[in-house]
Amino acid sequence: MADDQPKFPHTPVMLDRIVELFVPALDGPGKVVVDATLGMGGHSEGLLERFPDLTLIGLDRDTDALGIAGERLARFGDRVRLVHTVYDGIADAIAGEGFDAVDGVLFDLGVSSLQLDRAERGFAYSQDAPLDMRMDRTEGQTAADVLATYDEGELRRIFQRYGEEKLAGRYARAIVARRAERPFEMSGDLVQVLHDATPVAVQRQGHPAKRVFQALRIEVNAELAVLERAIPAALDAVAVGGRIVVESYQSLEDRLVKRALAERTTSSAPAGLPVELPEHAPTFSLVVKGAELADETERAANPRAIPVRLRAAQRIRK
């Protein structure tokens, strides 16, 4: 029966592990956590259920996501504060809710299940839809705008940098040639051009549109530039004893996160000093050594958990 179906079918990745990692930081009265990538609220719901005194600040640039999460989390009342912002606005969001610091920050990066599952958003190359790809549909250029206005060199650059695409030059040339006939409007048009430009041997190695769509999405939403600002801002906002947990789904994101955490968890003392001065001591310690993966059971049950890389750290001093 329809009534037996879950109202919010999204399965948050590594939820149990994330809750476990936050226990030392969030178990107690007066604790505050920021879900910097709220999405449909699955992780937030799990945290609010586990920590009954917790206040949660949920951030998202996607107004559709805020609406769904707001409905999902309504039962928690004023323990939930939702903010329409990109996650590099985390400091302003925390201050705007009246807090000087928080006890936890969670990032679940990349495109959300909501955005992938709604064909009209244009994120999925497997479904024909308008080439939008904006996480915040209230502003900014679309993927169609990028394809219409970037020259061949610029297209090649973003396919190489954000998609790590070996055929970036070939695809950029094919796109420029095709748009001279008519502009790109639908994702199916782009998929067909990429397919036709891909050697048969390469087609057997995976869908030719995957990396190009990733690159366009990152460019449209300035994802890496935002992330490069957001992680340091989040670390600055964490109180002593608080924790940050980050889930990344592709190597470009994970490298940025790894570097930001390394800067805070290693000494800044110049080489050769006989004694480390207090001001050079690390301000965070790693909770997870390296990047943790989802276990085999979760990977089998939830394919979106397959590429995840989880990192976590705890503030140990101001």
Side-chain angles (χ1 to χ4, degrees):
M1 294 176 61
D3 289 345
D4 294 330
Q5 299 300 314
K7 190 171 185 180
F8 305 103
H10 163 59
T11 303
V13 172
M14 295 184 75
L15 175 60
D16 292 343
R17 179 57 172 150
I18 285 170
V19 169
E20 177 186 15
L21 286 168
F22 274 125
V23 167
L26 302 183
D27 205 7
K31 301 294 186 176
V32 181
V33 70
V34 177
D35 186 342
T37 49
L38 181 67
M40 289 190 285
H43 287 111
S44 289
E45 182 178 48
L47 292 170
L48 289 161
E49 288 177 340
R50 171 59 180 82
F51 306 106
D53 296 316
L54 183 67
T55 295
L56 181 135
I57 303 171
L59 316 182
D60 212 295
R61 66 170 81 181
D62 189 331
T63 53
D64 291 348
L66 288 169
I68 291 172
E71 183 181 355
R72 183 177 196 159
L73 305 177
R75 60 192 172 99
F76 298 105
D78 61 5
R79 293 173 58 202
V80 176
R81 324 278 186 87
L82 302 186
V83 182
H84 179 216
T85 186
V86 185
Y87 47 71
D88 62 347
I90 185 170
D92 288 341
I94 292 169
E97 294 302 324
F99 299 101
D100 297 323
V102 297
D103 303 287
V105 179
L106 170 65
F107 287 89
D108 181 24
L109 300 171
V111 63
S112 73
S113 297
L114 168 66
Q115 291 155 351
L116 282 173
D117 293 341
R118 291 192 172 180
E120 71 273 13
R121 302 297 295 271
F123 286 95
Y125 52 80
S126 59
Q127 304 177 79
D128 193 26
L131 279 163
D132 192 322
M133 297 195 193
R134 291 173 298 168
M135 293 179 177
D136 183 350
R137 290 192 288 178
T138 66
E139 62 181 17
Q141 66 179 351
T142 66
D145 295 330
V146 170
L147 294 172
T149 60
Y150 283 31
D151 65 28
E152 183 179 322
E154 290 173 317
L155 291 172
R156 182 177 64 251
R157 175 187 61 80
I158 66 169
F159 297 161
Q160 287 174 333
R161 183 178 180 188
Y162 300 147
E164 299 179 295
E165 175 55 66
K166 295 178 181 178
L167 297 179
R170 179 190 290 257
Y171 290 154
R173 286 192 299 275
I175 288 167
V176 170
R178 159 63 168 72
R179 77 184 186 195
E181 302 171 9
R182 63 186 187 279
F184 288 94
E185 295 179 354
M186 304 295 289
S187 58
D189 295 336
L190 177 58
V191 169
Q192 187 62 54
V193 169
L194 297 173
H195 179 273
D196 293 345
T198 305
V200 174
V202 178
Q203 290 180 21
R204 300 192 189 103
Q205 299 172 15
H207 201 292
K210 180 178 180 180
R211 294 180 181 276
V212 171
F213 270 60
Q214 173 182 298
L216 285 170
R217 189 200 82 219
I218 291 173
E219 176 70 10
V220 165
N221 297 288
E223 289 178 46
L224 296 183
V226 168
L227 182 61
E228 202 161 18
R229 296 188 295 269
I231 297 297
L235 291 166
D236 289 343
V238 174
V240 175
R243 291 189 169 189
I244 182 171
V245 178
V246 185
E247 292 182 304
S248 306
Y249 295 84
Q250 42 101 345
S251 59
L252 298 173
E253 295 171 339
D254 186 52
R255 283 199 290 268
L256 283 177
V257 174
K258 179 181 179 181
R259 185 172 70 230
L261 294 184
E263 289 174 355
R264 304 296 183 100
T265 57
T266 55
S267 172
S268 61
L273 280 185
V275 178
E276 181 182 65
L277 299 174
E279 61 266 29
H280 294 302
T283 53
F284 281 78
S285 63
L286 292 177
V287 177
V288 172
K289 302 300 182 183
E292 193 170 299
L293 311 180
D295 62 32
E296 291 185 8
T297 301
E298 180 167 2
R299 289 156 67 93
N302 183 10
R304 288 176 184 167
I306 292 172
V308 73
R309 300 290 184 272
L310 181 149
R311 297 182 186 273
Q314 176 170 312
R315 182 180 278 278
I316 54 176
R317 73 176 185 89
K318 290 185 179 180

